[in-house]
Amino acid sequence: MNNLNDEMVYGKNPVLELLKSGKPINKVLLLTEGPGGRNQEIIPLLQERTIPYQFVDRQTLDRLTNRERHQGMLAYVAAREYASIEDILTVAEERQEEPFILMLDEIEDPHNLGALLRTVDAVGAHGVIIPKRRSVALTGTVAKTSAGAVEHVAVARVSNLVQTIKELKKKGCWVSGAEAGGKDAFEADLTGPRVIVIGSEGKGISRLLRENCDEIVSLPMRGKVTSLNASVAGSVLLYEVLRQRGVSQ
């Protein structure tokens, strides 16, 4: 998947068949036609599979498809199947390890997600959680940037990060959000069942998600720049969790 067209399927019948096949889909774009439009029949299928969809104008679809015959429908195909939260917890159970999970709040840069997947694989974390909306999905660019890690890391895509955090807490996980103004991450106790939350490149962790974290940790900053790239900050924290757990484990 080296270009945009490799990640797209368009045309009424191709998109419908893609949906019926059960293959992973990141998002569907539909032509704005009103309640009686021809693309209305696809919406129940999208809702049944909880696939995000968006209505756009004809000019947008023409531009994305180089004016080929799209019939008002375009689907972005995922680079691989998404996992569930239970799948991620099962990975930890099978390894006889305490859960070690990375949660990403509205990361939009595919290169950041790809780099983080590579680090998750390197440190032996059990999976990644991303939101269905306002976040980059498992695109071809993400797969390429991950240098193959996308094939080895379980990625769950959920509708509500806050609800997911609450569910993980019930299963014994401790949630550490990365944000400025928190306790020094190198002095914090990051052992035990752990979820590390990294916020978006511009806004950081959303308010409601931050309020549901058990603690906020920060990386010490000694220079004049006040923040780090999301993939850099996430990678440093993931390795700190690995260090505290003991590399031998």
Side-chain angles (χ1 to χ4, degrees), residues 56-234:
V56 297
D57 57 31
R58 183 173 296 279
Q59 289 75 15
T60 298
L61 289 173
D62 287 345
R63 175 175 53 81
L64 290 171
T65 61
N66 293 321
R67 294 190 173 276
E68 293 191 32
R69 194 162 177 260
H70 51 71
Q71 298 176 295
M73 295 185 188
L74 182 155
Y76 288 99
V77 184
R80 63 159 293 181
E81 292 279 355
Y82 289 99
S84 66
I85 300 300
E86 288 303 321
D87 290 333
I88 293 175
L89 294 173
T90 297
V91 172
E93 184 179 351
E94 289 175 347
R95 294 184 192 170
Q96 297 184 325
E97 297 170 344
E98 294 178 314
F100 179 10
I101 301 168
L102 176 65
M103 176 178 282
L104 303 175
D105 183 18
E106 298 185 15
I107 296 291
E108 297 178 345
D109 186 337
H111 297 90
N112 277 338
L113 178 54
L116 283 165
L117 289 177
R118 197 170 179 177
T119 303
V120 166
D121 179 62
V123 302
H126 304 117
V128 177
I129 300 171
I130 61 175
K132 284 187 176 179
R133 301 188 182 277
R134 296 184 294 277
S135 172
V136 66
L138 292 181
T139 66
T141 301
V142 170
K144 185 176 180 181
T145 307
S146 77
V150 70
E151 298 297 332
H152 306 289
V153 175
V155 179
R157 201 176 183 213
V158 301
S159 300
N160 190 310
L161 291 180
V162 173
Q163 186 59 41
T164 301
I165 272 186
K166 291 178 178 178
E167 292 173 6
L168 289 169
K169 284 183 177 182
K170 290 178 182 177
K171 295 181 182 294
C173 291
W174 188 267
V175 183
S176 303
E179 195 94 313
K183 66 175 74 171
D184 190 321
F186 299 140
E187 296 177 359
D189 181 1
L190 299 178
T191 59
R194 184 70 41 178
V195 179
I196 297 292
V197 182
I198 301 293
S200 66
E201 294 88 348
K203 299 179 291 184
I205 302 173
S206 61
R207 179 188 59 81
L208 196 54
L209 189 58
R210 184 170 60 251
E211 289 174 356
N212 278 275
C213 289
D214 293 303
E215 63 179 354
I216 298 298
V217 297
S218 305
L219 293 172
M221 303 291 290
R222 299 289 182 258
K224 297 186 186 215
V225 177
T226 58
S227 64
L228 290 171
N229 173 279
S231 65
V232 173

